[in-house]
């Protein structure tokens, strides 16, 4: 399946997913229109994801807005000239500052974030997870929203797992392993399935999920 770069790609991917897994049609009907929500495949895109780790969408959006003002232009050179105290004043925790410094170092060592889109998903994810502070969720979300990878499902995301629980009337929220096992049936469209279940989660709970717009 091709990368998810446009609304047309999203629509085509959803059509294919529902051919592969027609049992997801009720989920799609409840979820409503899917959101493309692409970010740039660069430091700014990855920093948006780091900012969103383990906080509410509203808090992440507010912090990232301050970060955009602070880092102008939003690149590794500007980050290198910015003091940790300034990043903290923008709302970043010490672990998140350390992660951004590790990303800065990786970029200085020649890492090309955009070029990761040319690699198989597993290889691109491994390159990202080699950066201290970038875990599976951050790497997978970067692949989805910054590189448009079509076949990634961040099973560690609590909202996705809760959406799967509700959609399939499970007694308990599935763990990460069980969720990944279920998602195997949605290859090679797991990136579409992730967007579908985030949309379903928003519809069912009235709360946002995924990344801040």
């Amino acid at each position: 399946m091709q990368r998810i770069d446009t609304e047309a790609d999203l629509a085509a991917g959803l059509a294919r997913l529902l051919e592969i897994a027609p049992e997801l049609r009720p989920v799609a009907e409840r979820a409503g229109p899917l959101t493309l929500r692409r970010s740039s495949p660069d430091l700014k895109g990855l920093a948006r994801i780091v900012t969103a780790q383990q906080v509410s969408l509203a808090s992440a959006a507010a912090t990232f807005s301050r970060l955009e003002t602070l880092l102008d232009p939003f690149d590794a050179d500007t980050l290198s000239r910015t003091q940790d105290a300034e990043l903290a004043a923008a709302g970043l925790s010490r672990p998140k500052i350390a992660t951004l410094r590790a990303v800065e170092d990786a970029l200085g060592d020649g890492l090309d974030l955009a070029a990761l889109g040319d690699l198989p998903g597993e290889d691109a994810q491994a390159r990202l997870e080699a950066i201290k502070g970038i875990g599976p969720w951050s790497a997978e979300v970067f692949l989805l929203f910054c590189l448009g990878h079509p076949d990634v499902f961040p099973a560690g995301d609590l909202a996705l797992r809760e959406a799967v629980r509700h959609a399939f009337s499970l007694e308990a929220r599935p763990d990460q392993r069980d969720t990944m096992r279920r998602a195997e049936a949605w290859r090679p469209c797991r990136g579409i399935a992730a967007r579908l279940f985030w949309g379903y989660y928003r519809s069912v709970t009235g709360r946002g999920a995924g990344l801040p717009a």
Side-chain angles (χ1 to χ4, degrees):
M1 183 178 166
Q2 67 181 36
R3 292 195 322 187
I4 305 169
D5 290 327
T6 67
E7 295 288 347
D9 296 334
L10 197 61
L14 179 60
R16 185 172 181 189
L17 174 64
L18 296 180
E19 288 179 2
I20 295 168
E23 69 276 9
L24 295 183
R25 289 190 181 278
V27 179
E29 291 170 1
R30 181 67 184 269
L34 302 189
T35 304
L36 182 63
R37 194 171 291 177
R38 285 293 302 274
S39 295
S40 54
D42 53 16
L43 172 63
K44 185 174 182 178
L46 186 53
R48 182 189 294 271
I49 293 166
V50 170
T51 302
Q53 292 171 349
Q54 299 180 328
V55 297
S56 70
L57 292 185
S59 176
T63 298
F64 191 73
S65 178
R66 292 190 292 269
L67 198 58
E68 283 185 295
T69 300
L70 179 63
L71 302 179
D72 185 17
F74 207 123
D75 57 27
D77 287 341
T78 306
L79 178 58
S80 70
R81 295 193 298 269
T82 304
Q83 300 297 312
D84 286 1
E86 295 176 277
L87 296 172
L92 290 179
S93 64
R94 278 193 291 180
K96 290 183 179 181
I97 293 171
T99 298
L100 288 187
R101 293 301 184 199
V103 173
E104 176 191 330
D105 289 343
L107 294 175
D109 289 339
L111 176 65
D112 185 339
L113 291 172
L116 295 180
D118 297 327
L119 299 178
E122 292 81 1
D123 293 344
Q125 184 169 341
R127 295 280 185 92
L128 288 166
E129 290 183 30
I131 303 171
K132 187 174 182 179
I134 300 295
W137 182 86
S138 298
E140 289 162 346
V141 170
F142 186 84
L143 290 177
L144 274 176
F145 291 110
C146 297
L147 296 176
H149 197 287
D151 195 36
V152 176
F153 195 91
D157 188 275
L158 290 179
L160 282 185
R161 284 158 46 199
E162 179 62 19
V164 168
R165 182 200 69 78
H166 191 282
F168 292 101
S169 301
L170 304 178
E171 291 186 3
R173 181 190 299 154
D175 62 20
Q176 188 167 338
R177 181 178 299 178
D178 288 341
T179 304
M180 282 301 296
R181 186 180 302 118
R182 187 179 293 270
E184 283 295 313
W186 307 327
R187 284 182 179 270
C189 304
R190 291 179 299 170
I192 298 291
R195 287 175 168 84
L196 178 63
F197 279 98
W198 271 316
Y200 181 85
Y201 180 86
R202 286 191 294 271
S203 175
V204 169
T205 67
R207 299 194 295 271
L211 283 180

